[in-house]
Amino acid sequence: DLMNRVTLIEGYIPGAPIPQQPYSVITSNSLLHHLPDPQVLWQTIKQYGQPGTLVFVADLFRPGNQNEAHRIVETYSPNEPEVLKRDFYNSLLAAFTPDEVQVQLQQVEMSYLQVRAISDRHLLIYGEMR
């Protein structure tokens, strides 16, 4: 029963009330680009993961230039309110490139995780912790 195996915890990292226990999966979606210090996410994953923990982190990645960011916004949200388009554009510009994420992972000795662009605007960081 999934209800007995999944617990959602609301809080800010660092400092969220996360029980210290072995986790088989750690996942994050669209958080990384909101963090002023991306190491907060990687350090939290390292703290709560263990060898064998599966990691899946999905996020936006920053396009090569502002024109490309505008193109992405117009391609995927042409009929959205201007405030949402602006937020999407700003999120794209706040996101990290795959190379920047790879450096972040090297800094916490987790460069064994894979960093892949999975669309023209999304990346996935995944793998099994060692």
Side-chain angles (χ1 to χ4, degrees):
D1 177 58
L2 193 59
M3 294 287 288
N4 295 326
R5 297 186 327 196
V6 175
T7 301
L8 299 178
I9 299 168
E10 181 180 350
Y12 294 98
I13 58 172
I18 303 170
Q20 187 69 50
Q21 61 185 1
Y23 289 93
S24 55
V25 177
I26 297 175
T27 186
S28 169
N29 185 31
S30 298
L31 171 66
L32 186 60
H33 74 274
H34 288 287
L35 297 172
D37 178 5
Q39 287 304 325
V40 168
L41 177 61
W42 305 124
Q43 290 290 349
T44 300
I45 290 172
K46 191 168 184 174
Q47 178 181 353
Y48 291 97
Q50 63 181 1
T53 297
L54 299 177
V55 175
F56 297 93
V57 175
D59 210 293
L60 296 170
F61 71 85
R62 189 173 64 251
N65 58 57
Q66 292 178 343
N67 288 338
E68 182 66 10
H70 282 296
R71 184 201 63 77
I72 290 170
V73 170
E74 289 307 314
T75 298
Y76 296 102
S77 59
N79 300 318
E80 297 299 330
E82 284 304 314
V83 66
L84 295 181
K85 287 183 178 184
R86 185 177 60 246
D87 285 350
F88 185 20
Y89 175 77
N90 289 331
S91 289
L92 286 166
L93 297 184
F96 300 99
T97 67
D99 288 342
E100 290 169 339
V101 171
Q102 195 64 58
V103 169
Q104 294 166 12
L105 293 170
Q106 289 170 354
Q107 292 171 342
V108 290
E109 299 177 346
M110 291 174 29
S111 58
Y112 52 83
L113 294 177
Q114 301 295 308
V115 179
R116 298 280 186 261
I118 57 172
S119 78
D120 62 348
R121 65 199 181 282
H122 294 104
L123 58 80
L124 182 64
I125 302 96
Y126 64 96
E128 185 174 322
M129 292 188 69
R130 297 181 185 163

